[in-house]
Amino acid sequence: MLKMIIADDEYIVRDGLKTIIPWEQYGIEVIAEAVDGQEALDLCRELKPDILFTDIRMPMLDGLEVAMELQEQNSGIKIIIISGVQDFNYAKTALSVNAEGYILKPVKIPELKEVITKVVNGINLEREKKFELENLQDQLERNLPVIREKFMRNWILGVYKSEAEIASNLEYLHISLDAGEGIVIAVLQIDDYYNTVRDMSENDKQLLFLSMTNLAEDVLNAYNAGVCSLINDNEFIVVFNRDFVRDNRHMDICGEITKNMAKFMGVSVSAGIGRIVYDLLHANISYKEAQTALQYSFYTGKNSLLSINDIDNINNLSEESIGRKDILYSNLYELENRIINTMKLGNVETVESCMNELFERINAVGNLPVDYVQNICLEMVYAASRAAYDLNESFDDIVSGRFDLLNSIQKSVSIFELQKFLKSVFVKAAAYFSKKYNQKNNKVIARIKDTIRQRYRENIGISSISDEIYLSPNYISHIFREETGETITQYITKVRMEKAKELLRSSDVKILEIAEYLGFENAHYFSTVFKKYTGIHPQKFRANAPDEE
């Protein structure tokens, strides 16, 4: 209910105003009456009504004086003035004190109702607007962390073009930074981020980010060193005041933050730190330097703390490094071919050795851009895929989907992880080809041996065998030696000599006839080969054969 006070020095008027209108229907309760202006003013101060219904002419203070006093006090009370005198100056004064209505006596009920309706609607509208404004203010207060995060992101990314605008936002958001003394930006990132958050729901991930921000803020607040904000997924920035750059205190604080995150949250974090800047508009410069420094965690590994000041010629390799890079590039094609060829041959050990050599060369150059190293690895995958295709094989089926491979290469957070991953891919491919070729080679070798056992009495050689099984002489010679440890010629000789030994033991056939039977041109050559194979001549072997049995 709205509260109202009626003020008039005549009782009959006060009583009439109380009863002439059903005030409760308008949501109004008459809480007091005043017989003069001073009493009306005192009651308004004490009871704080919503409406004052007052006559103009009263003892002590008149209605207009009361209205002016309440206006000076910013009371917000709505005033309706009634007057028995139709005076332009009175009406003009009533307007100046923002009276809601000016009603002449005798009061006309329709006019009074119209004024009351207007006043009640006005009060309700004001209250609704006030309520809405309070709600908006509450929402604003609740959203301040989001607004703060958005400002920090825009600031660090160089969106603002006015230092005054940045300073105004810093003040509004209660971010305490002494811009005149200079600032330094640090960038913190979770090591192996994708594996860390892979199985998290979005809610759990946001809780992790919030916890990490709060933990960093706790450390910073303990030293009054600066502020921390999340500006992107897995990118936290810390803005240090210049005082903490002296004696590398900001490095120590960054180290404390990363240690606490590992200790209390089980999260490995690396940090990159830019140089000091003295203009709020230049925060973006320090931020980019911090990002550049952080990229070198690719070489230093997890939980790294890297300052741009410790990295010489960060964007330009030294002449010596450039020379080493050129040497790496010139030798890369030869090494890549060696890796691909050994992979196709299924030589797992050689593939491992070559992959180790590749990364030894990369590390020897030093300070290669991360994307350059990743591109080397990507090219290796493409080359392996092409080689598999030439063999009617799918590299995706041998290892895994090419997209997953490329994605894993680009998401590798260190050169150690990249080396381990790429080596495992090529070892798996080599093992696949090794198994495949072993199965295929075993069949080929079995055919070679079967052919020799069937035709050993003929003038058989590598060329005639290759014609029969439709494979090249070089190929069958290579795989036979690789798989059996002996040449095809040696195996032909072994089959013939074992048969000769069998004939010498079990029959009285002449040595000349045995030689002819086994396809030798003459007995002398047969005897020479037999002695070389067994260590004794055929005659002696026959003479000693019973004893050996």
Side-chain angles (χ1 to χ4, degrees):
M1 296 284 284
L2 300 178
K3 296 181 293 182
M4 185 173 75
I5 293 176
I6 297 175
D8 196 296
D9 58 338
E10 296 182 30
Y11 170 79
I12 192 169
V13 174
R14 296 196 307 272
D15 189 59
L17 288 174
K18 283 177 61 178
T19 58
I20 198 171
I21 296 291
W23 297 106
E24 65 279 358
Q25 291 182 11
Y26 292 89
I28 296 174
E29 177 188 3
V30 179
I31 60 171
E33 300 176 30
V35 298
D36 58 52
Q38 185 61 54
E39 185 181 16
L41 182 61
D42 292 340
L43 287 172
C44 284
R45 288 170 176 167
E46 178 185 353
L47 301 178
K48 295 180 173 52
D50 299 295
I51 304 169
L52 172 62
F53 205 139
T54 180
D55 190 12
I56 283 186
R57 290 186 173 181
M58 290 185 298
M60 305 293 288
L61 295 173
D62 66 28
L64 292 177
E65 289 174 321
V66 173
M68 285 186 284
E69 186 71 26
L70 291 174
Q71 184 182 41
E72 289 179 3
Q73 296 172 8
N74 294 317
S75 68
I77 297 173
K78 305 300 179 184
I79 298 171
I80 302 173
I81 293 175
I82 55 175
S83 174
V85 180
Q86 187 171 358
D87 189 306
F88 175 76
N89 288 327
Y90 278 158
K92 184 178 179 182
T93 304
L95 289 174
S96 70
V97 296
N98 295 324
E100 299 295 321
Y102 187 86
I103 302 173
L104 291 174
K105 296 178 182 178
V107 176
K108 298 176 182 178
I109 293 178
E111 182 183 359
L112 179 59
K113 288 182 176 181
E114 181 180 344
V115 171
I116 292 299
T117 300
K118 173 188 170 185
V119 171
V120 170
N121 288 342
I123 293 173
N124 289 336
L125 184 61
E126 284 184 6
R127 289 186 173 183
E128 287 176 7
K129 288 183 176 179
K130 183 180 179 182
F131 180 74
E132 289 177 5
L133 186 61
E134 288 174 351
N135 277 341
L136 288 173
Q137 188 63 40
D138 288 342
Q139 290 180 35
L140 185 62
E141 291 293 330
R142 290 195 298 270
N143 287 321
L144 272 180
V146 177
I147 297 171
R148 183 176 186 264
E149 185 177 300
K150 180 180 178 181
F151 160 70
M152 294 293 286
R153 181 186 300 110
N154 289 340
W155 175 33
I156 296 304
L157 295 178
V159 172
Y160 298 108
K161 305 303 179 186
S162 163
E163 187 168 1
E165 186 178 9
I166 298 171
S168 175
N169 275 282
L170 288 171
E171 181 180 359
Y172 169 68
L173 295 167
H174 308 296
I175 299 174
S176 179
L177 289 172
D178 190 351
E181 292 296 320
I183 55 174
V184 168
I185 307 297
V187 175
L188 281 66
Q189 289 183 347
I190 300 171
D191 298 320
D192 199 10
Y193 170 69
Y194 293 99
N195 285 329
T196 300
V197 303
R198 181 178 54 197
D199 298 325
M200 287 186 179
S201 66
E202 186 61 29
N203 183 71
D204 289 341
K205 189 171 73 171
Q206 295 303 323
L207 283 175
L208 173 66
F209 290 158
L210 180 61
S211 300
M212 292 176 67
T213 304
N214 289 341
L215 190 152
E217 286 278 7
D218 289 343
V219 175
L220 293 167
N221 290 338
Y223 298 98
N224 194 27
V227 295
C228 176
S229 180
L230 174 71
I231 65 168
N232 290 305
D233 264 11
N234 194 32
E235 189 170 40
F236 302 82
I237 60 156
V238 176
V239 186
F240 286 103
N241 286 316
R242 181 178 181 274
D243 286 345
F244 290 87
V245 183
R246 299 190 185 102
D247 304 321
N248 285 331
R249 292 175 64 198
H250 64 308
M251 297 286 288
D252 295 335
I253 293 173
C254 269
E256 184 174 339
I257 291 172
T258 58
K259 287 178 182 176
N260 284 350
M261 288 181 178
K263 179 179 179 181
F264 297 113
M265 305 184 67
V267 177
S268 174
V269 174
S270 291
I273 302 169
R275 294 184 179 89
I276 189 168
V277 293
Y278 294 93
D279 189 324
L280 291 176
L281 289 173
H282 294 162
N284 180 250
I285 297 174
S286 185
Y287 164 68
K288 287 181 177 178
E289 291 177 340
Q291 283 185 313
T292 302
L294 187 57
Q295 287 181 1
Y296 281 77
S297 64
F298 183 75
Y299 292 101
T300 56
K302 295 181 180 180
N303 199 33
S304 294
L305 195 59
L306 300 156
S307 170
I308 195 71
N309 293 319
D310 297 330
I311 301 173
D312 295 326
N313 302 317
I314 196 69
N315 292 318
N316 298 297
L317 296 172
S318 66
E319 291 184 7
E320 182 182 356
S321 293
I322 291 173
R324 292 199 300 267
K325 180 181 175 185
D326 290 339
I327 293 171
L328 170 66
Y329 186 80
S330 64
N331 292 335
L332 198 58
Y333 184 74
E334 177 273 330
L335 182 56
E336 178 183 292
N337 279 340
R338 192 147 37 106
I339 293 172
I340 298 301
N341 288 333
T342 52
M343 178 199 76
K344 291 193 297 182
L345 291 172
N347 194 327
V348 173
E349 291 183 1
T350 306
V351 165
E352 282 191 281
S353 175
C354 288
M355 292 300 296
N356 289 336
E357 181 182 347
L358 171 67
F359 281 90
E360 284 171 7
R361 291 187 186 184
I362 291 172
N363 283 316
V365 174
N367 290 348
L368 282 172
V370 174
D371 58 353
Y372 181 87
V373 178
Q374 289 174 335
N375 285 336
I376 291 174
C377 298
L378 292 173
E379 173 56 31
M380 294 292 298
V381 171
Y382 285 125
S385 182
R386 290 192 297 269
Y389 179 80
D390 290 341
L391 296 172
N392 296 318
E393 295 285 353
S394 168
F395 197 67
D396 291 0
D397 294 336
I398 294 172
V399 282
S400 62
R402 199 181 328 168
F403 175 79
D404 293 335
L405 289 179
L406 304 185
N407 202 33
S408 296
I409 289 172
Q410 291 175 329
K411 289 181 179 178
S412 294
V413 297
S414 73
I415 196 167
F416 316 109
E417 178 184 317
L418 184 56
Q419 178 178 357
K420 181 180 178 182
F421 172 74
L422 198 66
K423 186 162 70 172
S424 70
V425 169
F426 277 82
V427 164
K428 185 175 182 180
Y432 171 84
F433 284 111
S434 175
K435 181 179 179 182
K436 176 185 176 182
Y437 290 144
N438 281 340
Q439 294 172 344
K440 179 181 177 181
N441 292 345
N442 288 339
K443 292 179 181 178
V444 173
I445 291 165
R447 289 182 63 192
I448 293 171
K449 288 182 175 181
D450 187 54
T451 300
I452 292 170
R453 284 193 293 267
Q454 291 177 16
R455 297 178 53 197
Y456 67 88
R457 295 174 56 197
E458 303 173 17
N459 186 20
I460 189 173
I462 296 173
S463 296
S464 59
I465 295 172
S466 69
D467 290 340
E468 183 162 330
I469 64 176
Y470 304 106
L471 292 170
S472 72
N474 287 338
Y475 179 72
I476 64 173
S477 297
H478 174 76
I479 64 169
F480 195 91
R481 187 181 185 99
E482 284 287 319
E483 297 297 328
T484 66
E486 60 185 342
T487 67
I488 293 176
T489 302
Q490 288 172 332
Y491 183 75
I492 293 171
T493 301
K494 181 170 72 173
V495 171
R496 285 173 170 169
M497 293 303 101
E498 291 299 324
K499 186 61 177 178
K501 289 165 64 176
E502 180 184 336
L503 293 171
L504 289 169
R505 288 193 191 102
S506 62
S507 70
D508 295 329
V509 179
K510 294 179 181 180
I511 292 174
L512 175 61
E513 292 174 348
I514 293 175
E516 290 177 351
Y517 178 79
L518 296 175
F520 286 90
E521 294 179 0
N522 57 67
H524 177 73
Y525 180 58
F526 164 71
S527 297
T528 301
V529 174
F530 188 88
K531 182 180 180 183
K532 185 177 180 181
Y533 181 78
T534 63
I536 58 176
H537 286 288
Q539 297 90 337
K540 191 173 181 180
F541 179 86
R542 171 174 277 173
N544 296 331
D547 296 333
E548 290 182 2
E549 292 176 357

